[in-house]
């Protein structure tokens, strides 16, 4: 079993739809949960992060963590064509003295159709 | 402020050839990383440098070497390229111990 699993998609939705992207994980020690967005032929960029369980909202984006189920989600409201990208979830156990290992999911490809 | 830069953007090598991928960051970050990204595999860590003067192996270090030249620069060397090393290579940097990493634009490498 991979440490972090993510449905690769592709996911195609009409403009304005609510999008739900999900990841599951196996390591119960993970405490920091991140979502990276990667446009085609670009490097990933950090979109949102949350610590431990709960929700975090930033504009049209909401990140949700359910540690009891080892499941995280990213919701995109009023999706736009500019949201078309690959979304990578990422996780870490927490800040260490030197290196904080980050495990990335394989990414879900999203297309928002005008 | 360019962030993280990588050179070259594209490269085609023949099996057995060597090359060095260059990475530089201007954010005064202590930590730097090299990842490879393959379809369905996600980002896998090759090597990292927690701070200037130190380097450590990541998940997939075989066939690679690194050099932390100074605080800004971190290079990745393929001594004898193999087709299995065909991939997209990303360099990243972060504040020491932080989960938040900043990525470069990537180098697309094909080994024939």
């Amino acid at each position: 079993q991979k440490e972090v699993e993510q449905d690769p998609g592709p996911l195609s939705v009409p403009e304005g739809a609510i999008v739900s992207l999900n990841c599951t994980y196996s390591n119960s020690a993970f405490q920091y949960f991140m979502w990276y967005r990667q446009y085609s032929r670009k490097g990933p960029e950090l979109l949102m992060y949350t610590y431990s369980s709960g929700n975090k909202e930033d504009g049209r984006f909401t990140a949700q963590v359910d540690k009891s189920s080892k499941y995280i989600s990213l919701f995109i409201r009023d999706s736009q064509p500019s949201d078309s990208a690959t979304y990578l979830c990422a996780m870490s156990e927490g800040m260490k003295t030197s290196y904080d290992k980050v495990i990335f999911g394989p990414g879900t490809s999203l297309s928002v159709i005008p | 402020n360019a962030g993280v830069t990588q050179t070259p953007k594209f490269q085609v090598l023949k099996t057995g050839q060597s090359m060095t991928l260059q990475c530089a960051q201007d954010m005064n970050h202590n930590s730097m990383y090299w990842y490879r990204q393959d379809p369905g595999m996600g980002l896998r860590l090759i090597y990292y440098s927690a701070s200037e003067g130190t380097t450590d192996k990541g998940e997939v270090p075989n066939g690679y070497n690194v050099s932390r030249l100074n605080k800004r620069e971190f290079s990745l060397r393929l001594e004898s390229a193999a087709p299995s090393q065909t991939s997209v290579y990303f360099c990243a940097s972060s504040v020491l111990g932080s989960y938040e990493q900043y990525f470069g634009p990537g180098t697309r490498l094909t080994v024939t």
Side-chain angles (χ1 to χ4, degrees):
Chain A
Q1 183 188 9
K2 289 183 182 177
E3 208 165 0
V4 178
E5 305 217 40
Q6 191 175 3
D7 186 336
L11 182 61
S12 184
V13 301
E15 184 175 352
I18 296 174
V19 176
S20 172
L21 303 166
N22 311 296
C23 284
T24 58
Y25 62 95
S26 57
N27 183 357
S28 58
F30 286 143
Q31 294 192 81
Y32 289 89
F33 302 90
M34 294 146 274
W35 286 96
Y36 280 80
R37 179 175 60 195
Q38 185 176 18
Y39 290 116
S40 181
R41 298 192 171 272
K42 301 287 186 185
E45 56 178 340
L46 183 65
L47 188 61
M48 293 186 71
Y49 72 90
T50 53
Y51 171 71
S52 195
S53 285
N55 292 358
K56 184 173 183 179
E57 190 173 317
D58 184 0
R60 297 184 295 109
F61 298 88
T62 299
Q64 196 171 79
V65 175
D66 182 349
K67 290 188 72 178
S68 62
S69 302
K70 298 193 183 72
Y71 188 89
I72 70 169
S73 300
L74 178 70
F75 297 97
I76 307 175
R77 290 185 301 280
D78 187 25
S79 56
Q80 302 295 309
S82 58
D83 295 327
S84 296
T86 296
Y87 291 80
L88 311 171
C89 63
M91 308 174 188
S92 74
E93 294 184 11
M95 291 182 70
K96 304 288 195 288
T97 55
S98 59
Y99 170 57
D100 190 9
K101 182 180 178 183
V102 177
I103 306 296
F104 288 85
T108 298
S109 175
L110 171 68
S111 291
V112 181
I113 311 301
Chain B
N1 188 338
V4 179
T5 58
Q6 292 182 237
T7 56
K9 287 187 169 50
F10 303 93
Q11 185 71 50
V12 179
L13 291 178
K14 292 189 187 326
T15 297
Q17 287 185 319
S18 62
M19 78 162 295
T20 300
L21 283 65
Q22 306 285 356
C23 173
Q25 52 90 12
D26 62 5
M27 294 175 282
N28 202 35
H29 286 164
N30 298 97
S31 302
M32 298 186 74
Y33 314 85
W34 276 105
Y35 290 91
R36 59 178 289 173
Q37 186 175 41
D38 302 291
M41 301 292 291
L43 286 159
R44 292 183 292 168
L45 184 67
I46 305 171
Y47 270 93
Y48 68 96
S49 172
S51 59
E52 187 179 356
T54 69
T55 60
D56 285 285
K57 295 178 180 179
E59 182 184 353
V60 289
N62 291 344
Y64 306 95
N65 284 301
V66 291
S67 295
R68 184 74 184 264
L69 303 169
N70 47 55
K71 190 172 185 179
R72 290 187 61 247
E73 298 173 287
F74 189 36
S75 63
L76 178 72
R77 182 158 178 86
L78 286 71
E79 291 291 352
S80 178
S84 61
Q85 294 178 304
T86 293
S87 188
V88 182
Y89 291 86
F90 288 101
C91 177
S93 70
S94 73
V95 171
L96 181 66
S98 173
Y99 57 83
E100 185 175 355
Q101 298 180 13
Y102 294 81
F103 285 81
T107 294
R108 280 161 180 76
L109 175 66
T110 301
V111 183
T112 62

